[in-house]
Amino acid sequence: MKKKLTLLMLAALLMCGTSVLTSCGNDDNEIEVVQKDYLKSWNQCDALTALKLYVADVTNPKSPNYIPEEDRIATFDMDGTFVGELYPTYFEYNLLEYRALDDPSYRDKAPEDVRQAAQNIRDFVRLGTPLPDHFDMVHAHAAAKAYAGMTLAQFDAYVKAYAAMPANGFSGMTYGQSFYRPMLEVMEYLKDNGFTYYVVSGSDRFICRALVESIGIAPNRVIGMDVKLTSNNQGEEAGVNFTMTKDDYLVRTSELIIKNLKTNKVLQISQEIGKVPVLSFGNSSGDCAMHNYALSNSQYRSEAFMLIADDDARDHANRNKALTLGEKWRDAGYHVISMRDDFKTIYGEGVEKTEFSF
C-alpha cells in the first residue's frame, strides 16, 4: 500500500514500526511510503513501546542520540531468546542425550563421562533429578568429546538431521522450526532500520550456525561455544608449523576452547565484533554480562531486553520462576518481555503444546 506523507507523519510511522521504504513524491514536503507491517505477532506492551521509541530515536539524524548505521549493533542470545528452550533442556542438551544414549552409530563407543553427562540430562528430564553443579561445563567437555573426529560438514548434517525430528512436547513443529516468531520479527525490524545483529550463544557455534541458517543468519554473525579444530592430516603438529594442502579438511577435536557464557560473551563480542553493542536481547543470568556491556556503551544510547518464559499454557515453562526472574531483571535495568502477555503467538499457527513422550 502506498501513501503520501509529510515528514512528521513519516516519523510517527517509523516510531510505530511501520516502514522504511520510501520514494520522493510530487511535492517537496511529501514522501511516498510503501508501508510494511512489522511486529505483527506482538501485543501492545511496555517492552515493544520501549523498542520502537528507541529505534525511532537513534535512527533519526536530527536526534542527539542518532547512531550511524555502522554502529547499530544488536546481540541476541539464542536458546530461550529466539529459539525455543524446549523446557526443561536446551537443544544441545537434547542432542547430546540422543548422541550418547540412543544413536546406534555412537552409543556403544561413548566414553563413560560422556554417557554420564547424557544420563544426567535424561534423569533431569524424565525424573526431575537435579543436574550436577556447574553442569554447563560438564556438558561442554562431554559434548566436545562426543563429536570429536567429525568433519564440519558431517557435524552440520548431524545437527540438521536431529533438528528435523518432531519436537518432544509439541505437535506441528520440529526442533529446527522452534523459533519464537515475535523475536524473528524484531530481527527483521532492526535489519530494515539499519541494525546488524549477531547471535551470541552459550551453545556450540556450529550447532547455532546449523539452526539459524534456515532463517538467513550468516555464519559470520554467529558466536558460540568453541572446540579446537584441526586439519585431518595435522596430527600433533602445531598449526604454525603445519601447512594445509588444498585436499585437506577440518575436523572437530575433543578440546574445549571456551564456553560462551556470562563474561565470556563480552570477551567474544569484543574480539569478534570489535564494537560495543547498543541493543542486547537475552533470557537468563548467562546474558547479564552481555546486557551490562551494552548498557555501559559510553558513546551511544543503549537498551537491554530480557524474555521471561512465563507462558505455561502455550509452552513448557515454570511460571513462578519466570515471574521472580522478571522482577530481578527489572531491578537490573532491563526491559522485560513476557511471553504470555506480549506474544500473540509463540511458534506460529498449527503448533500445540502436548505432553512429553518418553
Side-chain angles (χ1 to χ4, degrees), residues 3 43 46 103 173 227 231 249 308 312 329 346 348:
K3 291 185 178 181
N43 295 316
D46 290 344
D103 183 352
M173 181 174 73
V227 300
S231 172
Y249 50 87
I308 56 171
D312 53 7
W329 303 145
I346 297 179

Side-chain angles (χ1 to χ4, degrees), residues 78-79 82-83 90-97 99 139-140 143-144 146-147 150 152 154-163 175-176 179 199 201-214 217 219 222-227 252 259:
M78 189 180 77
D79 300 281
F82 71 93
V83 169
Y90 304 109
F91 177 89
E92 67 170 2
Y93 281 21
N94 296 336
L95 184 65
L96 180 68
E97 179 189 356
R99 172 75 167 162
H139 165 269
Y147 311 112
M150 284 187 172
L152 298 187
Q154 288 170 340
F155 185 62
D156 183 73
Y158 192 83
V159 173
K160 289 175 179 174
Y162 186 80
Y175 286 116
F179 298 107
V199 176
S201 174
S203 291
D204 186 288
R205 184 192 300 260
F206 291 94
I207 288 178
C208 297
R209 286 179 174 177
L211 288 177
V212 304
E213 179 184 300
S214 66
I217 299 178
V222 175
I223 300 170
M225 183 189 95
D226 276 319
V227 300
R252 295 173 62 95
K259 181 64 177 175

